[in-house]
Amino acid sequence: MDEFESATLQHILQIRPDVVHCHDLSTLPTGASVAGRIGCALIYDSHELEMHRNATYPEAVKRKRRRLEERNIVKADVVITVSESIADHLRDDYRIPRPIVVLNSPDFEHTDEGHKTLRTDLHLGEDAPLAVYVGSVTINRGIENVVRALPFMEAVHFATVGPRRKETEKLLIEIAEELGVRDRLHLVDPVPPNDVVGYIRSADVSVLPIQNVCLSYYYCMPNKLLESVFAGIPVAVANLIELRRFVEKTGCGLVMDETDPRSIAEAVASVIPRRGDFVVTGERLDQLIAEYSWAAQAERLRGVYRDLRRRTAR
């Protein structure tokens, strides 16, 4: 935060913006300083539950981060966040108006529907069951539990699509080799964001095994969930509050115990032969697009700015 402020503050003051839109806590103190000096509007856009992230900080740093968020969040004209549960938490924790939820949704209007797919890249036939994980291959995402589930899922291939932390990649390979399933584990490089939906569409199930290691994860509503559903893929999701609520509301998959490889295997094995029962289509899909697509979220964000303009014009 200090580095960001020293590098940017004078530049921002020279620009004299009408609005400072601060993404995450790392930019909030700078934005609040600018807003205080020139009287512009301040937006705090919290993409995580900052005080409860999947991160380890020394106690002194934790206390400083808390003071900075507590001091500056109340200065924001608008607070935006990424899930209903995080919005409730921030409202209650800081006693502020309930933040506006703008979901981290895929932009379907600009999705690339090319011919390249995950299945063709892996040279797998249509009869080979394929589970996919989309996102960063890193700690506390539960990916190693999916690998441990492979011995209980006969013939199922499991692919990750996303950037890989070297230590996590090494661990996954070691587990797969130890269990004799290395030939069914595929670690695939990330594809451009606009290609994800079309690229993963050929999978049979999308697995979201995020671990309940912090409130930010427990409350998460990840874009990979929406990417999967709009790609027409059923999901097997961790028993986290927002994931469970979405799956129960839409019927797009099953909830599993993300800590138990056998539970993961049971969910995946149940979904694959009944894929058609979980794919959201027709009027239900239209309703989901109207509520959860990026077009809907973008309109909500435009509404934030329209409201700010009306307030500042008074």
Side-chain angles (χ1 to χ4, degrees):
M1 293 183 217
D2 295 339
E3 290 175 352
F4 180 81
E5 180 160 322
S6 64
T8 64
L9 179 59
Q10 292 306 315
H11 296 286
I12 301 172
L13 290 172
Q14 290 172 11
I15 294 170
R16 299 192 65 80
D18 299 302
V19 182
V20 180
H21 192 131
C22 302
H23 291 269
D24 289 327
L25 181 58
S26 56
T27 68
L28 178 60
T30 303
S33 178
V34 171
R37 294 190 193 194
I38 68 173
C40 68
L42 175 65
I43 297 175
Y44 178 34
D45 200 335
S46 182
H47 301 287
E48 303 272 354
L49 185 56
E50 283 282 0
M51 295 303 106
H52 301 276
R53 295 182 64 169
N54 176 28
T56 302
Y57 298 105
E59 284 302 319
V61 175
K62 286 183 181 178
R63 290 193 296 270
K64 182 176 182 181
R65 295 179 81 252
R66 172 72 189 193
R67 286 196 303 270
L68 286 169
E69 186 168 58
E70 188 173 36
R71 181 187 307 153
N72 291 303
I73 195 171
V74 296
K75 299 175 184 177
D77 296 278
V78 180
V79 179
I80 296 171
T81 194
V82 291
S83 82
E84 301 294 339
S85 293
I86 293 179
D88 289 340
H89 184 97
L90 290 174
R91 175 198 61 199
D92 297 342
D93 192 21
Y94 292 117
R95 299 182 181 180
I96 59 173
R98 191 176 189 272
I100 295 168
V101 176
V102 177
L103 297 173
N104 189 10
S105 300
D107 183 358
F108 297 107
E109 294 181 1
H110 302 96
T111 293
D112 185 348
E113 297 288 353
H115 299 293
K116 181 180 178 181
T117 70
L118 175 61
R119 188 176 291 274
T120 56
D121 274 358
L122 297 179
H123 305 290
L124 290 177
E126 292 297 324
D127 58 340
L130 176 58
V132 64
Y133 164 88
V134 181
S136 295
V137 176
T138 186
I139 60 172
N140 294 327
R141 300 298 176 88
I143 309 165
E144 61 274 17
N145 288 339
V146 184
V147 178
R148 293 188 179 106
L150 285 175
F152 308 116
M153 299 186 287
E154 184 178 357
V156 173
H157 288 255
F158 174 53
T160 68
V161 179
R164 300 187 294 277
R165 177 176 176 263
K166 289 184 179 179
E167 294 83 355
T168 305
E169 179 179 11
K170 180 181 177 183
L171 175 62
L172 297 180
I173 292 172
E174 289 175 351
I175 295 171
E177 289 176 344
E178 180 182 339
L179 297 175
V181 294
R182 180 66 183 91
D183 60 324
R184 293 193 280 132
L185 171 65
H186 311 278
L187 304 172
V188 181
D189 291 338
V191 297
N194 288 345
D195 295 357
V196 171
V197 171
Y199 186 70
I200 66 174
R201 194 183 296 278
S202 58
D204 295 299
V205 60
S206 178
V207 187
L208 285 78
I210 303 165
Q211 300 295 289
N212 185 12
V213 296
C214 61
L215 272 182
S216 190
Y217 275 13
Y218 184 59
Y219 291 158
C220 72
M221 181 64 180
N223 61 343
K224 57 181 69 72
L225 172 62
L226 297 172
E227 287 169 339
S228 301
V229 171
F230 286 108
I233 309 172
V235 296
V237 304
N239 189 17
L240 307 178
I241 185 169
E242 293 290 342
L243 301 187
R244 183 177 68 245
R245 182 182 294 161
F246 183 85
V247 166
E248 291 175 349
K249 174 182 177 180
T250 63
C252 64
L254 295 177
V255 179
M256 62 193 181
D257 179 352
E258 68 280 1
T259 68
D260 182 0
R262 286 186 179 272
S263 178
I264 294 170
E266 289 171 3
V268 170
S270 297
V271 166
I272 289 178
R274 299 167 50 207
R275 173 175 174 161
D277 295 341
F278 300 106
V279 175
V280 181
T281 59
E283 185 176 331
R284 289 170 57 221
L285 179 60
D286 292 339
Q287 292 172 349
L288 282 182
I289 291 173
E291 184 174 355
Y292 291 99
S293 69
W294 175 245
Q297 307 312 308
E299 180 53 34
R300 190 173 298 176
L301 187 58
R302 283 191 288 267
V304 169
Y305 275 89
R306 284 194 293 266
D307 183 60
L308 277 177
R309 182 160 50 183
R310 282 194 295 270
R311 281 194 258 167
T312 56
R314 291 172 186 166

